[in-house]
Amino acid sequence: MSNTATASTHAPVRAEQQGPGYWRVTFDNPPLNLYEPEVESALAKIVDQLETDPDVKVVVFDSAVPDFFMAHLNLGRVAEFGEGMPAWFDMIGRLGNARFITVGSLRGRARGIGNEFLTTLDVRFASRERAVLSQLEIGTGIIPGCGGIQRLVQLTGRSRALEIITSGEDYDADTAALYGWVNRAVPDAELDAVVDRFAWRIASFDTDALRAVKEIINEEAPLHSPDDLAATHQRFAGLLARDFVQQRLQLSAKASPEVIYDLELNMGERLGPRD
């Protein structure tokens, strides 16, 4: 595997080797880091390449877009992902069962499918000052349809998952750490060093031992298969297809870039009633 897994530095996702056994994958789809077909295609190719390299031990996922780790799914292009989003469910299933350890380094907003991707990863560290997490779907009349419900229940427990999903609010890193949503909230100035130190330690250890640990933990806390998640995604698609939801999405799409960016920055507040 080459030191750069994508051909262009302007690709929406790129991978770079940091050293023996240690890779970083960076989302770079400005201005919002939306999850779009091009992002999925680039990410799938990177996952393919990482899986075929037996020397990979740890992969850190981060963002080059300061305010957004991954904003959410681009609902205006949902049909382009294929019915049931098969590539998405295949990819997150493979990451969950990959021989290497996956780590999220969270700055900015991870909402909707951005949070669903983050919770797919094995370990998550978040910037205390700059991380924002949310399952925002309830505010537009839909539900998390890409694994968010199941993974939040597993990470935070039933009551906190209900709070997160039914409120649609933004949550800060300290609250997320308290809930078990992320492993740790750290000062933003220390985030890179904390993640780097953790990744380098993993990269220094034995591959077979690391793989055994992950396999045993997956047996103790089983991951949800694509088939398990299919029924939830069907309910998501049915709710999304309703007229009032589509009308609301069309109105949002007509807003100016400045209005859209402000909305995306403050989505948790704007989707609910104002105080």
Side-chain angles (χ1 to χ4, degrees), residues 86-116:
W88 162 262
F89 286 112
D90 174 70
M91 188 162 49
I92 62 171
R94 287 159 58 199
L95 284 174
N97 290 294
R99 70 172 69 87
F100 46 82
I101 307 300
T102 56
V103 182
S105 179
L106 177 61
R107 281 192 177 92
R109 288 139 184 85
R111 298 191 182 108
I113 203 169
N115 180 63
E116 289 169 315

Side-chain angles (χ1 to χ4, degrees), residues 9-268:
T9 57
H10 300 289
V13 192
R14 60 179 181 269
E16 295 179 353
Q17 187 172 14
Q18 307 301 297
Y22 172 15
W23 286 77
R24 271 192 181 249
V25 176
T26 301
F27 294 104
D28 190 6
N29 187 34
L32 304 174
N33 255 350
L34 290 171
Y35 190 79
E36 297 179 308
E38 296 80 8
V39 171
E40 182 167 89
S41 177
L43 181 60
K45 290 177 182 176
I46 289 170
V47 172
D48 288 345
Q49 292 174 312
L50 291 169
E51 282 184 324
T52 61
D53 186 342
D55 296 325
V56 179
K57 298 180 183 180
V58 58
V59 181
V60 172
F61 292 84
D62 62 12
S63 168
V65 180
D67 291 324
F68 297 94
F69 177 84
M70 187 187 295
H72 51 76
L73 182 71
N74 186 339
L75 291 173
R77 301 182 65 186
V78 70
E80 298 177 48
F81 292 100
E83 185 176 352
M85 294 188 66
W88 162 262
F89 286 112
D90 174 70
M91 188 162 49
I92 62 171
R94 287 159 58 199
L95 284 174
N97 290 294
R99 70 172 69 87
F100 46 82
I101 307 300
T102 56
V103 182
S105 179
L106 177 61
R107 281 192 177 92
R109 288 139 184 85
R111 298 191 182 108
I113 203 169
N115 180 63
E116 289 169 315
F117 181 82
L118 192 69
T119 58
T120 294
L121 305 178
D122 298 319
V123 179
R124 292 158 296 281
F125 297 101
S127 163
R128 177 167 287 129
E129 297 90 345
R130 297 176 63 184
V132 177
L133 303 93
S134 171
Q135 289 293 163
L136 73 167
E137 292 85 354
I138 198 73
T140 53
I142 55 178
I143 61 173
C146 292
I149 295 175
Q150 291 82 357
R151 289 191 179 84
L152 280 171
V153 170
Q154 195 170 46
L155 289 171
T156 70
R158 180 180 185 276
S159 295
R160 283 172 169 165
L162 272 167
E163 176 196 346
I164 292 163
I165 295 164
T166 61
S167 72
E169 287 196 284
D170 287 339
Y171 289 78
D172 60 33
D174 285 322
T175 303
L178 176 67
Y179 282 14
W181 195 345
V182 299
N183 290 67
R184 202 186 319 169
V186 299
D188 185 73
E190 300 174 17
L191 179 64
D192 293 336
V194 167
V195 172
D196 221 29
R197 180 179 183 275
F198 180 70
W200 278 117
R201 282 183 63 83
I202 292 174
S204 74
F205 296 142
D206 178 71
T207 303
D208 291 339
L210 291 168
R211 185 172 186 176
V213 168
K214 184 166 175 176
E215 287 175 348
I216 293 167
I217 287 176
N218 283 351
E219 290 169 5
E220 294 298 317
L223 302 172
H224 294 88
S225 72
D227 290 341
D228 295 333
L229 301 173
T232 300
H233 192 271
Q234 285 182 340
R235 296 187 74 172
F236 159 84
L239 293 168
L240 178 63
R242 292 180 298 170
D243 288 343
F244 89 89
V245 175
Q246 290 298 312
Q247 289 167 6
R248 185 168 186 175
L249 293 175
Q250 289 168 13
L251 284 174
S252 297
K254 294 177 182 178
S256 69
E258 294 78 14
V259 169
I260 290 173
Y261 196 83
D262 179 70
L263 173 64
E264 295 286 354
L265 283 177
N266 305 288
M267 185 75 75

